[in-house]
Amino acid sequence: MLVAIVVHFALAAVLPLVARRYGRAAFVVGALAPAGTLVYALARAGEALADTPPLETAAWAPAIGLEFTARFDELAVLLILLISGVGTIVLGYYAGYAKVGDHRTAARDSALLVTFAGAMLGLVLADDVLSLYLFWELTTLCSFLLVGGDGLRKRLRQSATQALLVTTFGGLAMLLGLVLLGTAAGTLRISEILADPPGGGVVTAALLLILLGALTKSAQVPFHPWLPSAMVAPTPVSAYLHAAAMVKAGVYLVARFSPAFADHPAWWIPVVGCGLWTMLLGGFRALRQYDLKTLLAYGTISQLGFLMVMLGIGTWMSALAAGTLILAHGLFKSALFLTVGIIDKRTGTRDIRELSGLGGRWRVLTTLTTLALLSMAGLPPLLGFLGKEVALEALLHGGPVDMVACVGVVAGSVLTVAYSLRFLRGAFARKPDVAPPPSVPCGRVMTALVAVPSLAGLVLALAPGLIEPIEAGYADRYGSDPGYHLALWHGFTPPLALSVGIVVAGYLVHRYAGLQRLGGRVPSGLQAQNWYTASVDGLEHVAHGVTGRTQVGSLPVYLGVILTTLVVVPGAGLLAGGVEFGALRLFDNGLQVPLAVLVLAAAVTSLVARRRLTAVLLTGVVGYGIGAWFVVDGGADLALAQFLVETLTLVVFVFVIRRFPPRFTQNREYIPGRWVKAVVAGVAGTFVAVLAVLYSGYTHGMPEASREYIERAEDETGATNVVNAIIVDFRAFDTIGEIAVLAVAATGAASLILARSRKRTGGDGTSDEPGVAEGTDPVGGRDEAEESGDAGAVRSARARDTGPGDGPEPEVTS
């Protein structure tokens, strides 16, 4: 399976080249990767049902335990059927849907769809939390690019950005939850966490954070508005990402962790509660939609809520129902989205108020779409009916919570029947007051591709034994098998009676005009889209406020913010405790004491220096003193680098300040915020000094990296000096970067010297500065005049320095 993931990414890399030459054929070539994966997964499906599923591991940082482990179990097989099966169909369909000659779109979308398929494959196979998060965010990025398209229209950019913000927010929360859960369990392997789930308050917080990621990705209330907005994407993209694959990522995450945490209140209460709310709200909003894709989007939201409810119940029967419904939903919803694509491409509209008479013209497509709608509504003999029957059976034989959930599921199913009839009538029925669109064929190839998922729902319902072992294998993680089997007929049972009542009630809701007008009406204050808009606007307002108060063009403010953060963040961790410090020593070498006194004296003196050159020289003394410390401590290499950098810095400073007045601001009696700056600088300096002294005494064993450096230095690099081995061999790229920095600094210093020399000599060996003899320093002359106290000489030197028309000496504040 690791090879299958790599093949997806490798093929995606070459598809733009294929599209540039062959156009839409790139989609057909791209379909080879998911098609091959599907065949391979089906061939090995029996291994996934074993007690110990196959594992494949690829270590990418073994020294620190980072690796990618693929676990091929029942749940992975179930999701691969959708990811690879529907992915193959959608890519083939896109070859006929895309515009002829639009090679740019074909290159972009074919590569992104195959990349997305590989990311989803890695997501469902990942058995470690870090790899799972990596593939999770890769699907988010692909979705953003596919929804945004070329980005030329504002609506595309807004919809893509909304999907990115919402799902990325959930993904970051999920990452924190996974890390907390892995830390509590003592392992990052998902299978090991589920085999021995940890407990405690940290786990409760971790589960809530993980659920936040799942709810955002699967468009659960109140995070659902991004999914209808994403319908601006091309219909094949919606059929794959927003019906079969991406929105299933959140469902998959819940399905993966539910066997271990289904009885945890922090897990099942949010899952069941949000699932019921989402199922009802999605179905209610779908009743009022006129755009077929938007109608299906709200229907998808409703169905995803149904799946969440069944996974949250956490019993063997509910898990079997969830597995059946996951497969059924992917099949009928992808078929319906592909049907909408045909209608839109052939008629030029998706608005049901403008469609009429398509059922009589496109009889085959109408039949296939009807089968998909019947499966969505839960009517026999289709896979959706099997899933709904198992769900009702699971809820009717449970406790009070299950009965409440059963009432919500029945109400949501009634709405599902109503919007399914709305879709069928709106898309294919003849309307007396609407003129039929021009007669055009629907296309045999595209219709044939719609037939695959539509008829698959029928075949699997007639032969449930093909998929029951996979779904039952997953359900066995929740408990023992009660002896229930998937079948179209179980006799006259309460679930069958409820199914009949659901169909009748759904038909009445569809026919009653008053409910149709009421459907979808949600008060403005309760609309989640308004919440999203208000949240983004509020965040932008806060960002503007913070930026306006911190990015003010003042170096002291910038330094103050940095230093305050330096004190607050590590200081909070230090005060929290948890770090044991060793014994403190005053010094290790007698030479450290005078060097420390020299450095401190130079630092303090530089603060009160009135001349710029004096302050720069004192700063240089600090740097050279630190270099001398390195020599005393045995770090000759570090000392050499410090001396070089300090020398270059000093040269640059000297040539820069020659263009400034020799003294700092004359009036130093009042500087705005002077004492605030002093306090911030003093506290930060004291904190860093104390922290350095404390951590210098921290001896809690040698880090693993340090041990590896010492053990490998002589054998692998031939160096007996470990520091040399690190600089020249182990971290050679860092050294190259540092050399580049030194080269740039030296070039800058040389440029200043040469520029100054050309300005003074005029390029021909003669001075171009008025009143200054060759080889005379005007700034130095001015300094000497000031030091001598000769007022006339001072005025003359200033006149020579500024020149005519230069104006008064500039005031420079610190």
Side-chain angles (χ1 to χ4, degrees), residues 129-147:
V129 298
L130 297 181
S131 298
L132 184 144
Y133 174 74
L134 175 66
F135 288 115
W136 180 281
E137 293 296 9
L138 187 56
T139 61
T140 298
L141 180 60
C142 291
S143 173
F144 169 74
L145 296 174
L146 286 166
V147 173

Side-chain angles (χ1 to χ4, degrees), residues 332-416:
F332 66 67
K333 196 54 68 71
S334 60
L336 293 174
F337 269 107
L338 297 180
T339 299
V340 173
I342 294 175
I343 294 174
D344 189 16
K345 189 173 182 64
R346 302 302 183 187
T347 65
T349 182
R350 304 192 304 253
D351 195 323
I352 62 177
R353 294 169 294 188
E354 301 173 3
L355 297 171
S356 178
L358 295 181
R361 299 178 186 178
W362 299 344
R363 296 183 183 277
V364 175
L365 181 63
T366 303
T367 302
L368 295 173
T369 305
T370 302
L371 288 175
L373 289 169
L374 292 177
S375 182
M376 183 167 68
L379 272 70
L382 295 154
L383 190 60
F385 172 76
L386 266 65
K388 191 178 68 174
E389 287 286 290
V390 182
L392 294 176
E393 183 74 26
L395 295 174
L396 286 173
H397 294 84
V401 174
D402 295 347
M403 294 303 299
V404 173
C406 183
V407 173
V409 166
V410 169
S413 299
V414 170
L415 297 175
T416 302

Side-chain angles (χ1 to χ4, degrees), residues 571-593:
L574 190 63
L575 292 176
V579 179
E580 297 180 2
F581 299 103
L584 300 180
R585 301 184 302 276
L586 293 178
F587 55 87
D588 296 311
N589 189 307
L591 291 177
Q592 292 176 342
V593 177

Side-chain angles (χ1 to χ4, degrees), residues 316 320 463-474 481 484-487:
W316 190 95
L320 181 66
L466 296 175
I467 58 171
E468 184 175 3
I470 298 174
E471 297 166 0
Y474 169 70
D481 184 352
Y484 185 93
H485 296 283
L486 295 176

Side-chain angles (χ1 to χ4, degrees), residues 4 33 68 109 113 127 148 200 223 242 250 273 292 337 426 450 509 512 567 603 667 674-675 730 741-742 752 805:
F68 172 66
D109 287 359
L113 282 172
D127 193 41
F223 309 106
H242 307 135
L292 290 175
F337 269 107
V450 174
V509 171
Y512 185 55
V567 172
N667 182 13
R674 179 178 182 180
W675 292 109
F730 295 132
V741 171
L742 289 174
L752 288 171

Side-chain angles (χ1 to χ4, degrees), residues 611-685:
R611 293 181 176 276
R612 298 180 190 276
L613 183 59
T614 304
V616 169
L617 293 176
L618 289 171
T619 305
V621 172
V622 174
Y624 285 118
I626 293 175
W629 253 338
F630 291 152
V631 174
V632 171
D633 291 338
D637 300 320
L638 295 176
L640 179 60
Q642 176 71 18
F643 290 147
L644 287 173
V645 172
E646 195 62 43
T647 302
L648 286 172
T649 305
L650 188 61
V651 170
V652 171
F653 264 113
V654 168
F655 279 96
V656 169
I657 65 170
R658 288 167 67 87
R659 309 303 300 168
F660 285 82
R663 293 177 177 271
F664 290 107
T665 304
Q666 298 299 319
N667 182 13
R668 297 172 60 110
E669 296 180 0
Y670 175 74
I671 298 178
R674 179 178 182 180
W675 292 109
V676 175
K677 298 172 187 177
V679 170
V680 171
V683 171

Side-chain angles (χ1 to χ4, degrees), residues 144-346:
F144 169 74
L145 296 174
L146 286 166
V147 173
D150 55 16
L152 297 180
R153 288 182 293 162
K154 182 178 180 181
R155 187 181 177 191
L156 290 175
R157 298 192 299 270
Q158 288 179 337
S159 299
T161 302
Q162 180 173 358
L164 179 69
L165 289 178
V166 174
T167 54
T168 302
F169 165 73
L172 292 174
M174 182 197 73
L175 174 62
L176 178 58
L178 290 173
V179 171
L180 290 176
L181 186 61
T183 303
T187 177
L188 297 180
R189 281 284 189 92
I190 297 176
S191 56
E192 295 176 0
I193 294 175
L194 301 181
D196 186 18
V202 173
V203 173
T204 299
L207 294 179
L208 292 174
L209 290 170
I210 293 172
L211 283 180
L212 187 58
L215 297 179
T216 55
K217 198 81 161 186
S218 57
Q220 300 294 290
V221 173
F223 309 106
H224 64 282
W226 73 263
L227 184 56
S229 297
M231 292 301 105
V232 297
T235 302
V237 172
S238 300
Y240 191 29
L241 273 67
H242 307 135
M246 178 179 172
V247 291
K248 293 294 193 306
V251 175
Y252 163 78
L253 189 67
V254 175
R256 177 61 74 189
F257 286 92
S258 276
F261 301 104
D263 58 345
H264 201 297
W267 183 264
W268 69 263
I269 292 177
V271 171
V272 174
C274 289
L276 286 175
W277 187 7
T278 302
M279 185 179 185
L280 294 174
L281 182 62
F284 183 67
R285 294 296 301 271
L287 294 179
R288 195 176 177 82
Q289 304 306 317
Y290 295 101
D291 183 280
L292 290 175
K293 279 187 70 175
T294 307
L295 189 154
L296 291 179
Y298 279 106
T300 299
I301 292 172
S302 180
Q303 295 291 319
L304 292 173
F306 190 8
L307 294 174
M308 286 291 190
V309 172
M310 301 317 300
L311 290 170
I313 295 300
T315 62
W316 190 95
M317 290 283 288
S318 67
L320 181 66
T324 307
L325 289 171
I326 287 174
L327 186 57
H329 178 265
L331 293 175
F332 66 67
K333 196 54 68 71
S334 60
L336 293 174
F337 269 107
L338 297 180
T339 299
V340 173
I342 294 175
I343 294 174
D344 189 16
K345 189 173 182 64
R346 302 302 183 187

